[in-house]
Amino acid sequence: MRKRTAGIAAAAVAVVVAAVALPLFQPWRLATDKVVDEAVPGAVPISTTSSSTTPPTVSVEPKQPTLQRTPQPRLLLTGKLITHEHRTSGTVSVLALPDGSRILRIENLDTSDGPDLKVWLSDAQVVPGRAGWHVFDDGKYRSLGSLKGNHGNQNYAIPRDLNLDTYRSVAIWCDRFNVSFGAAALT
């Protein structure tokens, strides 16, 4: 009878531990992926060719084309992501858009999925290895929002009032466990 009671108690404890640990750690996210492929806002498409094999028809006399230069995004800062808690790679750049706004662009991102991942601008220096895992919340930082996906290309709006001279690094930050998955120095 004692063994049965001990077995039931152990099973109850295991259920309670699993009920608390699974939502907290979300271990299944290590095996899930979300791919995002956003275009650069305001950029001219790479190709405007048609897949049609029929030649175009013209019903009026064509006018002489006028060349109008479309303003393009301007590169302000750039950096390369390094690995911290989870293997992370890709590039980051800060772009000034023709309308005066700025974005942080992450390209070719490859990292693990995780719970509560954020994209942060920080004043912390990027330190390789384990020593750099926890530095990004020590000083000034600004969240640009939740990470949209753990693979691909994505854009994050930078608030107009944010002084980029203060924030010189980017971190893929796990807010739940206060750890950087990966980071890049902006130069």
Side-chain angles (χ1 to χ4, degrees), residues 5 23 41 43 55 58 64-65 80 84 94 112 119 126 128 136 149 171 174-175 182:
T5 304
V58 178
Q64 193 69 356
K80 185 176 179 183
H84 278 147
V94 174
S112 300
V119 176
V126 176
F136 297 98
C174 179
D175 219 11

Side-chain angles (χ1 to χ4, degrees), residues 25-34 86 111-115 150-151 181:
F25 289 98
Q26 299 178 356
W28 59 87
R29 301 224 34 195
L30 293 174
T32 61
D33 286 322
K34 183 173 181 186
H86 292 265
T111 192
S112 300
D113 195 6
N150 61 312
H151 295 288
F181 273 34

Side-chain angles (χ1 to χ4, degrees), residues 86-101:
H86 292 265
R87 188 177 57 81
T88 301
S89 62
T91 59
V92 297
S93 54
V94 174
L95 302 174
L97 301 180
D99 67 2
S101 65

Side-chain angles (χ1 to χ4, degrees), residues 13-75:
V13 167
V15 167
V16 169
V17 167
V20 171
L22 286 176
L24 180 64
F25 289 98
Q26 299 178 356
W28 59 87
R29 301 224 34 195
L30 293 174
T32 61
D33 286 322
K34 183 173 181 186
V35 178
V36 174
D37 192 17
E38 294 179 327
V40 176
V44 175
I46 293 171
S47 173
T48 57
T49 59
S50 171
S51 60
S52 172
T53 57
T54 309
T57 58
V58 178
S59 59
V60 294
E61 189 71 27
K63 292 182 180 179
Q64 193 69 356
T66 57
L67 295 176
Q68 289 184 337
R69 187 173 171 101
T70 305
Q72 294 293 303
R74 190 170 41 92
L75 180 66

